[in-house]
Amino acid sequence: MATTTNDTLEAQQDHSGDSEKTVTLHDEEQLPTEAAETPDIPPDGGYGWVCVLAVACVNAHTWGLNSSYGVFLSHYLANNTYPEATYLEYAFVGGLSISQALLISPLATYTTREFGTRTTLLLGVFFETLSLIGASFATQIWHLFLSQGVCFGWGMGFLFVGTVGVIPQWFTKRRSLANGIGTAGSGMGGMVYSLATNAMIQSIGLSWAFRVLGIVSFVVNFICAIIIKDRNKAIGASQLAFDYRLFKRKEYLLLQGWGFFSMLGYVVLLFSLPNYSLSIGLTAQQGSIIGALLNLGQAIGRPLVGIFSDTAGRINIAGFLTFFCGLLSFVVWIFANSFGVLIFFALIGGTVAGTFWTTIAPVGAEVVGLKELPSALSITWLILVLPTTCKSSISSVNSGMLTLHLVSEPIALELSQSNGGYLHAQIFTGFMYIAAAICMWFLRGWKIGQLEQLTTEKGEGLETTDPIQMEPEDNLPPSRSQYKESNILRRMISWKRV
């Protein structure tokens, strides 16, 4: 009798245990499903606008501040500040900062993943402040190499990498507009600091000009580093310093081709236009005005590029404006032989010349998704070291004034020296932008194909699918079981808002 009772109790316990296991398994199966049903949705505004303004200020006090190096360069050469330095060494300092900013990007991505965005930004604040204060005590040219070149580049790199991926995390529908406002800070900062730096050098001297810039940049960048907030945890960003798997994706290679060719044209245009004005008989003051208007064009144009990108499609606008800049080089710049025409070209060309910087983050999100965007951009900055690493070269001495070109792998120098003019440099610039546009055109064909694939799997119409509103999870390629890929040429010529 006792044995029977014990057997019954053991059977009930076993049954109870099985029920608990069933409930546990059921709960475990339910959790992923519930999580999958609530994907992260960017707020498309809110505190994101505070981050936009902060990023614009950071860009003004990094890339914009770096643009004022031409003022320092003129002072060094006019006053023989470091007698042992050569012209080439002076010009090399400015280019060194850009290459260091891009080369440091994998480390900056790593620190963001391990310690957070704020730590990365504060490192940038430290290095940039140290560079400017250190440069104020420089007595030899190698001091400038370490301070205004390497150290400033590291500060700019940490601040740039730490902020470039923040804005896309806060926006969906207005992502390009927000990014355009953020990047416009570099153009505005370049114009303001070029004028302010020259005024300070004339009034308080070179050393104190460096110190004032160091103090101002520290205050602004430190405040921005505190108030900027990322959403890396909310979106599950990968933050890999170098994700080689991205190179297996053809769309990512097309994105890199667009950036590579765009920067070859951009660098030549940016650093050649003011000097081109001297070659056609304009004064040095008129040449400086052309350079300032080019920066003004970028400051005004980048938010406008963002507005049109959100309206007509980010890939569409990136490709069209890249092609348009190449076209301007052929039909306007080549024939610009007067001050008025150059003003027109500087303003209009400035609005579209830096399309890459305005759209790379939003377009990158369309290609790889928000989760993979930091890793994708980290590789992009490394690839851009080649076309944007500025070699210094002396092109001509005109009326006792040294004219310098800071161009990638002195391509523009060689082209401008041939036949004594800038025609070859102008043609090169136009072709580079058109080559970049072709890469974007093929990328557009891929994106439309991806949309067709997604709509086939979901049973929706292509016309009703809004790629601008697609969530990162929807950006992943689904199964091809029910999808028959259409012709790439048909996709490239068809109209779709992508």
Side-chain angles (χ1 to χ4, degrees):
M1 182 71 177
T3 304
T4 304
T5 302
N6 290 337
D7 291 342
T8 302
L9 290 173
E10 290 175 0
Q12 291 175 348
Q13 290 173 356
D14 291 341
H15 178 72
S16 177
D18 291 341
S19 299
E20 291 176 359
K21 292 179 180 178
T22 302
V23 172
T24 302
L25 289 173
H26 177 71
D27 292 342
E28 291 177 351
E29 291 174 359
Q30 285 293 106
L31 289 176
T33 304
E34 292 173 358
E37 291 176 352
T38 56
D40 175 72
I41 300 176
D44 204 32
Y47 194 80
W49 289 115
V50 177
C51 294
V52 168
L53 294 177
V55 170
C57 290
V58 169
N59 284 330
H61 292 80
T62 50
W63 296 104
L65 191 57
N66 188 65
S67 298
S68 67
Y69 181 72
V71 177
F72 287 105
L73 183 61
S74 298
H75 177 80
Y76 296 151
L77 297 174
N79 296 275
N80 196 23
T81 308
Y82 305 98
E84 78 284 0
T86 65
Y87 296 142
L88 213 60
E89 288 173 330
Y90 276 130
F92 181 68
V93 174
L96 191 61
S97 62
I98 298 178
S99 64
Q100 292 301 307
L102 297 175
L103 282 171
I104 205 71
S105 58
L107 179 59
T109 303
Y110 172 80
T111 59
T112 301
R113 184 181 78 240
E114 295 296 325
F115 307 107
T117 297
R118 182 167 296 169
T119 300
T120 301
L121 296 179
L122 290 177
L123 282 172
V125 174
F126 169 76
F127 281 118
E128 182 171 324
T129 305
L130 179 65
S131 71
L132 293 170
I133 300 299
S136 70
F137 296 100
T139 57
Q140 299 182 45
I141 188 64
W142 66 268
H143 296 168
L144 285 185
F145 287 161
L146 295 179
S147 57
Q148 202 172 8
V150 174
C151 195
F152 187 87
W154 289 356
M156 188 163 61
F158 277 109
L159 285 164
F160 174 63
V161 174
T163 57
V164 70
V166 171
I167 293 177
Q169 297 176 352
W170 286 92
F171 295 88
T172 51
K173 185 174 63 174
R174 292 175 286 189
R175 182 178 295 159
S176 294
L177 169 62
N179 202 68
I181 295 173
T183 56
S186 60
M188 188 61 67
M191 183 180 66
V192 171
Y193 275 111
S194 292
L195 299 174
T197 299
N198 182 64
M200 285 189 291
I201 291 176
Q202 299 300 323
S203 60
I204 60 178
L206 178 64
S207 296
W208 274 105
F210 270 124
R211 291 164 193 158
V212 170
L213 290 175
I215 294 171
V216 171
S217 64
F218 169 78
V219 172
V220 174
N221 288 334
F222 181 80
I223 293 174
C224 292
I226 298 301
I227 66 177
I228 288 176
K229 295 181 180 179
D230 64 62
R231 303 183 69 251
N232 290 330
K233 291 183 179 180
I235 65 175
S238 60
Q239 297 288 344
L240 295 178
F242 193 90
D243 190 357
Y244 67 90
R245 295 171 298 178
L246 291 170
F247 288 106
K248 299 178 181 179
R249 301 170 61 170
K250 59 185 179 182
E251 64 272 19
Y252 184 69
L253 296 178
L254 288 171
L255 183 69
Q256 299 310 311
W258 170 60
F260 186 87
F261 290 121
S262 291
M263 286 301 99
L264 281 175
Y266 176 75
V267 171
V268 173
L269 174 61
L270 188 66
F271 292 107
S272 295
L273 189 60
N275 298 301
Y276 170 76
S277 63
L278 299 180
S279 72
I280 62 173
L282 300 181
T283 65
Q285 182 181 7
Q286 289 174 318
S288 65
I289 292 174
I290 294 298
L293 290 176
L294 186 64
N295 276 313
L296 179 62
Q298 294 191 73
I300 296 174
R302 291 183 177 185
L304 295 178
V305 171
I307 293 174
F308 287 115
S309 295
D310 289 331
T311 303
R314 290 152 189 161
I315 296 178
N316 288 338
I317 292 299
F320 172 74
L321 293 184
T322 301
F323 175 81
F324 181 64
C325 189
L327 189 64
L328 282 176
S329 298
F330 284 125
V331 302
V332 179
W333 190 16
I334 290 178
F335 302 100
N337 295 315
S338 66
F339 186 50
V341 176
L342 271 185
I343 288 177
F344 170 80
F345 178 73
L347 285 173
I348 304 301
T351 61
V352 296
T355 296
F356 171 83
W357 298 110
T358 309
T359 58
I360 178 56
V363 170
E366 297 280 339
V367 174
V368 301
L370 283 176
K371 291 181 179 179
E372 301 295 333
L373 183 62
S375 300
L377 292 179
S378 178
I379 297 175
T380 299
W381 311 140
L382 279 180
I383 292 175
L384 294 185
V385 168
L386 180 60
T388 57
T389 297
C390 298
K391 298 289 186 178
S392 310
S393 20
I394 305 170
S395 66
S396 63
V397 178
N398 186 12
S399 301
M401 179 179 295
L402 178 69
T403 304
L404 289 130
H405 287 284
L406 300 177
V407 296
S408 62
E409 303 295 333
I411 292 174
L413 168 69
E414 298 297 329
L415 294 173
S416 62
Q417 282 184 335
S418 61
N419 298 327
Y422 280 77
L423 179 61
H424 291 177
Q426 293 162 330
I427 293 175
F428 174 83
T429 301
F431 274 122
M432 289 302 99
Y433 273 110
I434 289 176
I438 292 174
C439 291
M440 187 55 65
W441 192 21
F442 277 97
L443 182 64
R444 180 180 181 275
W446 165 83
K447 185 64 179 181
I448 293 177
Q450 185 198 48
L451 288 177
E452 291 177 347
Q453 182 179 341
L454 287 168
T455 53
T456 299
E457 292 291 332
K458 293 182 177 181
E460 300 175 354
L462 183 61
E463 294 76 12
T464 62
T465 303
D466 187 0
I468 306 300
Q469 298 293 335
M470 286 176 59
E471 296 301 322
E473 289 77 12
D474 294 333
N475 209 26
L476 300 175
S479 171
R480 291 180 174 268
S481 57
Q482 302 176 5
Y483 172 67
K484 183 178 180 181
E485 188 172 1
S486 61
N487 184 274
I488 180 65
L489 294 178
R490 185 185 67 81
R491 281 183 268 140
M492 290 172 66
I493 63 175
S494 62
W495 167 250
K496 176 61 183 175
R497 181 171 171 253
V498 293

